[in-house]
Amino acid sequence: MRIGAAGRERPVVRVDADHYVDVSDRFGDYDAAFFASGGIAEARALAAERVAAGAVSAFGGVRIGAPIARPHQILCVGLNYADHAAETGQAVPAEPILFTKAPNTLIGPYDDVRIPRGSSRTDWEVELGIVVGTRASYLDSDEQARAAIAGYVLVNDVSEREFQNDRGGQWVKGKSAETFNPAGPWLATPDEIGDVRALSLWLDVDGVRRQDGTTATMIFDPVYLVRYISQFMVLEPGDLINTGTPPGVGLGMTPPTYLVPGNVLRLGISGLGEQRQTVVGPR
């Protein structure tokens, strides 16, 4: 995890719901250098030593930031749940649909989501995020792809559907407004997650359940995605991959329903915690 004011977060290790161990004296941040140097194992060992010594702090009212520093890139996978493809009236893709999202969309899990100027169709998407742990290119096997995954995070792939679908060009335009990628509260390593194809995902808008899915309906699983993407580009340590959303987005409702200022979003994935965002208007 990372805590502190926006832009000044420091790295910590979560002990339980109320406590953490500060490791900022050893690590500058959870960034590319941290992941590339095998920092997770070192941070885990250091945290265990400090817990044993009683060097534990309470979260209190501290702000929780995204659990990783701004990545080199945020990559996204479209229509990666069979039931989500069905609700949008689109065919199940034969290969992963890839697009990018501006890295500066990354915010903390409890920060406000801001509707961009000119938006009338801002939507929600609970997703499983993959954090890349090593530089990866042309991976030859699932074993190599699995070894390249540092961990998983909860993300909200906020989207503007008019910008995405009606304004021409690439989906990136509908995905890259400021605040459009809340992440966290924590990163969990693969051994902490267990079966990544058996995670429940959910999202509420103003207390009403809108998304209630499972990674079991993923078309392309995380290991496949990392191996596949590495055939087209170099993945860098700390990169984030948003792996798609289950059904229940506003675009798929009858009639379509979108976010307005004052809405409150709550979302979660089993083993990866929960987020809460208040929707605010344009600047």
Side-chain angles (χ1 to χ4, degrees):
M1 298 179 68
R2 295 164 71 246
I3 63 173
R8 298 194 299 275
E9 296 92 344
R10 66 184 190 276
V12 303
V13 175
R14 178 180 183 269
V15 176
D16 55 36
D18 300 314
H19 301 92
Y20 68 90
V21 171
D22 194 324
V23 294
S24 61
D25 60 323
R26 184 74 60 87
F27 307 105
D29 208 344
Y30 293 147
D31 54 12
F34 169 84
F35 290 108
S37 66
I40 286 181
E42 186 180 351
R44 180 176 282 165
L46 178 61
E49 292 176 6
R50 292 183 174 179
V51 168
V56 175
S57 302
F59 283 109
V62 68
R63 173 185 174 271
I64 295 175
I68 59 173
R70 183 184 296 182
H72 165 257
Q73 60 184 341
I74 298 177
L75 299 167
C76 303
V77 183
L79 299 178
N80 194 32
Y81 284 71
D83 36 8
H84 174 55
E87 78 169 340
T88 61
Q90 301 184 69
V92 171
E95 295 190 45
I97 297 171
L98 302 180
F99 58 94
T100 61
K101 189 164 194 167
N104 64 2
T105 59
L106 191 72
I107 60 171
Y110 311 114
D111 294 341
D112 292 343
V113 165
R114 185 175 297 280
I115 293 176
R117 293 182 187 181
S119 169
S120 60
R121 292 156 57 184
T122 296
D123 204 349
W124 56 84
E125 295 189 22
V126 59
E127 300 197 13
L128 175 69
I130 302 168
V131 176
V132 177
T134 62
R135 195 170 192 269
S137 178
Y138 298 117
L139 298 176
D140 293 323
S141 67
D142 286 352
E143 289 71 25
Q144 288 180 335
R146 192 172 289 109
I149 297 173
Y152 298 98
V153 297
L154 166 64
V155 297
N156 187 357
D157 178 24
V158 185
S159 308
E160 212 298 329
R161 301 303 189 186
E162 180 186 359
F163 299 174
Q164 176 185 354
N165 297 322
D166 300 342
R167 299 293 298 272
Q170 301 296 313
W171 286 4
V172 64
K173 290 193 294 189
K175 298 286 186 170
S176 294
E178 62 174 335
T179 76
F180 265 29
N181 207 109
W186 60 75
L187 178 150
T189 53
D191 60 295
E192 294 173 314
I193 287 294
D195 186 357
V196 75
R197 293 300 302 266
L199 304 178
S200 61
L201 308 85
W202 58 270
L203 182 144
D204 295 346
V205 181
D206 293 341
V208 177
R209 183 61 44 93
R210 295 301 188 190
Q211 293 188 269
D212 193 0
T214 169
T215 55
T217 67
M218 267 188 172
I219 300 165
F220 307 106
D221 69 29
V223 172
Y224 180 93
L225 290 171
V226 170
R227 183 177 179 184
Y228 179 88
I229 293 168
S230 79
Q231 309 307 310
F232 301 94
M233 65 192 76
V234 177
L235 293 169
E236 299 286 357
D239 280 356
L240 176 62
I241 304 171
N242 295 342
T243 61
T245 195
V249 298
L251 175 66
M253 296 175 63
T254 305
T257 302
Y258 298 108
L259 296 171
V260 296
N263 285 151
V264 175
L265 301 170
R266 290 188 61 245
L267 56 148
I269 299 179
S270 50
L272 292 173
E274 299 184 8
Q275 299 183 0
R276 183 186 185 279
Q277 294 112 34
T278 298
V279 178
V280 299
R283 291 189 184 278

